[in-house]
Amino acid sequence: MNLNPTPFPPEFLQERIEYLEESNRRFTTILDMLASSGGFQGDLIKAADAESIFRATEVQVRRVLDCEKIGCMTSLDDGTFQLATWDPADGYDALQEEIRQRILDGSFAWALHRNQAILTPMPGNRTLLLHVIETRTRIRGMFVATLAPETPVNDGALSALSIILYTAAYAIENMTLYGMLREQMATLEEKVEQRTRDLETAREAAEAGESRDHARRVRHASNRQSAIGNQQSAIGNQVGSLTAEC
């Protein structure tokens, strides 16, 4: 029994070392990116709408993957998707065409039901990447990118991509919920103001009614006093007349 292992060719060992070194550099870059994600979080907090969140997300993704074109689609209320942001500026038509093809071949629907990146080959040794943007409760959009030829794609990069997109999805959800809360607070404040105006109007009307009642009572008392005075004067006249006759 031969216990001596078969030696590997030096070329194989050299390629293996280069691959491991490249993987190590890639993982180090990803860890550095995740460790320094405070700027990304700050951009998400400052974002005023979903498009701003998507743009910040695209910048962060480019630190992980070498993308030729990149874009984010937003999920509409009717179940359709619309390309909301894209980079570069002239990449809209190309991304839309790739998306249309992936819808036709079923890749887009497949990606919606996966919680990880879906890679499909493209002409020219390029790759199309799809990754759903979702939380536990709702799909918020779809990330789409065309990767440059020979772009190394490893599990670490794809895991980092998933973390970035999950973060973006929850940022959109938080922004949406905060907007709903702010709208309800504004509606409640408007109702309180309207109720306050109604109470003020009712109070003024009540005070005006009391004033009218008081004036009416004063006039009634004055009229009664005048009537009594007139009666007393008439009686006095009658007494005077009888006295004169006597």
Side-chain angles (χ1 to χ4, degrees):
M1 182 177 181
N2 185 10
L3 299 179
N4 296 325
T6 303
F8 291 103
E11 294 81 5
F12 173 81
L13 295 176
Q14 182 63 34
E15 290 179 1
R16 184 64 177 172
I17 291 173
E18 291 177 355
Y19 171 77
L20 292 175
E21 288 179 345
E22 176 61 28
S23 297
N24 182 64
R25 286 193 295 270
R26 197 69 181 173
F27 277 110
T28 300
T29 301
I30 293 170
L31 289 175
D32 290 341
M33 181 273 298
L34 294 177
S36 61
S37 60
F40 177 47
Q41 294 289 344
D43 292 338
L44 296 182
I45 293 174
K46 293 184 295 184
D49 49 35
E51 286 75 15
S52 300
I53 293 176
F54 286 152
R55 293 189 185 94
T57 301
E58 291 168 3
V59 172
Q60 191 74 352
V61 170
R62 285 192 179 277
R63 300 181 60 184
V64 180
L65 294 171
D66 183 13
C67 303
E68 287 184 337
K69 297 179 179 63
I70 191 171
C72 292
M73 306 183 74
T74 184
S75 175
L76 304 179
D77 293 336
D78 60 359
T80 60
F81 289 80
Q82 177 179 330
L83 191 60
T85 60
W86 59 91
D87 184 64
D90 61 352
Y92 177 85
D93 291 338
L95 285 175
Q96 281 285 60
E97 178 59 24
E98 290 299 332
I99 293 168
R100 188 183 71 84
Q101 293 295 333
R102 300 293 83 80
I103 291 175
L104 292 177
D105 65 18
S107 300
F108 193 93
W110 171 250
L112 286 175
H113 296 88
R114 306 284 291 176
N115 59 354
Q116 61 187 21
I118 302 298
L119 303 173
T120 57
M122 297 174 57
N125 198 27
R126 296 179 300 139
T127 303
L128 180 72
L129 185 150
L130 296 172
H131 195 306
V132 66
I133 303 173
E134 66 174 347
T135 64
R136 292 182 179 272
T137 58
R138 180 176 175 180
I139 293 176
R140 294 292 175 178
M142 176 71 76
F143 173 82
V144 56
T146 58
L147 305 182
E150 307 299 333
T151 297
V153 180
N154 52 51
D155 292 340
L158 296 181
S159 296
L161 173 66
S162 295
I163 293 173
I164 293 171
L165 296 180
Y166 292 153
T167 303
Y170 279 103
I172 294 174
E173 185 163 283
N174 290 339
M175 182 193 65
T176 302
L177 293 176
Y178 179 74
M180 293 172 60
L181 176 61
R182 185 170 52 190
E183 182 178 349
Q184 290 179 357
M185 291 293 292
T187 302
L188 178 60
E189 183 178 354
E190 183 179 350
K191 289 182 178 179
V192 170
E193 292 177 352
Q194 181 62 44
R195 181 59 177 167
T196 302
R197 289 193 296 268
D198 293 343
L199 290 174
E200 182 65 21
T201 301
R203 184 186 65 82
E204 292 176 354
E207 291 179 351
E210 290 178 357
S211 298
R212 288 193 298 269
D213 290 342
H214 178 70
R216 189 163 48 249
R217 287 195 297 270
V218 170
R219 288 196 301 271
H220 181 68
S222 177
N223 291 337
R224 289 184 60 189
Q225 190 67 28
S226 297
I228 292 172
N230 293 334
Q231 289 177 355
Q232 291 176 344
S233 177
I235 292 172
N237 292 334
Q238 290 177 359
V239 171
S241 298
L242 291 174
T243 302
E245 291 177 356
C246 292

